[in-house]
Amino acid sequence: MRKFKGITFNGLHSYKDLGLTIKEKEIGNPEKEKALVKVPFSDVEYDFSELYGDQNMSTRTLSYTFHVFDRRVNTPEQVNHLKTRAVNHFMQTNKMIELYDDAYPNWHFLAEVRDAPSFNEDSIIGELTVEFEAYKFMIGNEIEGNDIWDIFDFDFDVAQTTKVNIDTFRQVFLINNSPTVVSPTVKASSDFVIEFNSVTYIVEKGWSSDPDFRLYERLNVLNVTGEGTIEFSWNKEMI
């Protein structure tokens, strides 16, 4: 039996659950959002788009055109039934949620359908085009520091320890292999103090997160003071 690739969105697979096959698709890329200021009466131009430490980028568009066809019941009524079910399913969510594309294993998008899907019907076959507005980056399915060798990617992954034991003081080295800053979630067995980039962060026992505590691209060196175990959790992001 032939297995068709598709997408999983809102708990259902486009082929296995909705009976749709992909005719064509376009995975759009985000655009840089530049904040350029030109000095009057000169050719000098200043770029403030990384004012807060990261390049602003737009959302991205994911477009899928599906064949709507039932091999068992070849009627226009069945085509419209499948279309109605699919449209209501894709339009059901009111925020960006996980979208998994079978052609991108180990990654997912955060996406939402905002514009009306288009549908063309030709007797017993239809074509349904659905556009998703998506978060600018793909997100890795596994947290960084996992040791799942079967999915390790030598181009994008880093073998590193993200859970460490602290005895009074220790420098912790974390590598963010994403092309953007990330904000990790921290799990601590007791209270800790982290000094990073000349800023002091107080970490309380348990799970916590701080949007101002961000790991920059590549190597980050943290000075951690305390007693116990501290763990940093984040997911890799890629364009």
Side-chain angles (χ1 to χ4, degrees), residues 68-213:
V68 183
F69 174 68
D70 191 330
R71 291 177 175 80
R72 298 166 299 178
V73 184
N74 300 323
T75 65
E77 291 79 9
Q78 181 65 3
V79 168
N80 282 290
H81 175 83
L82 293 176
K83 181 267 292 184
T84 301
R85 184 185 180 203
V87 168
N88 278 273
H89 175 74
F90 289 132
M91 295 284 287
Q92 191 175 22
T93 63
N94 294 317
K95 63 179 181 178
M96 289 185 177
I97 64 171
E98 291 86 353
L99 184 153
Y100 298 88
D101 187 319
D102 294 341
Y104 290 82
N106 309 322
W107 299 91
H108 65 272
F109 301 92
L110 293 178
E112 176 189 5
V113 179
R114 295 178 179 174
D115 296 329
S118 62
F119 180 67
N120 294 313
E121 180 186 350
D122 184 9
S123 185
I124 60 172
I125 298 177
E127 285 188 4
L128 175 66
T129 299
V130 183
E131 286 193 353
F132 296 86
E133 193 79 10
Y135 173 62
K136 55 190 174 182
F137 295 112
M138 296 189 300
I139 301 172
N141 294 339
E142 304 295 336
I143 62 171
E144 288 296 275
N146 74 79
D147 59 355
I148 307 175
W149 180 249
D150 290 343
I151 65 172
F152 189 87
D153 190 317
F154 286 91
D155 289 322
F156 301 127
D157 290 337
V158 175
Q160 61 180 319
T161 299
T162 57
K163 181 179 181 180
V164 294
N165 294 318
I166 309 296
D167 183 8
T168 307
F169 173 81
R170 180 172 176 177
Q171 279 195 324
V172 177
F173 302 92
L174 299 176
I175 297 176
N176 171 24
N177 214 26
S178 305
T180 183
V181 297
V182 295
S183 295
T185 301
V186 181
K187 182 182 180 181
S189 64
S190 60
D191 294 347
F192 287 92
V193 175
I194 298 176
E195 292 184 1
F196 176 53
N197 277 0
S198 302
V199 179
T200 299
Y201 301 92
I202 307 300
V203 178
E204 297 181 346
K205 179 180 179 180
W207 287 99
S208 63
S209 61
D210 183 344
D212 292 328
F213 175 50

Side-chain angles (χ1 to χ4, degrees), residues 45-65:
E45 192 173 58
Y46 293 100
D47 184 357
F48 294 98
S49 54
E50 294 186 54
L51 184 62
Y52 298 104
D54 196 27
Q55 168 67 58
N56 270 352
M57 303 188 79
S58 68
T59 56
R60 66 199 303 169
T61 300
L62 315 178
S63 178
Y64 294 88
T65 298

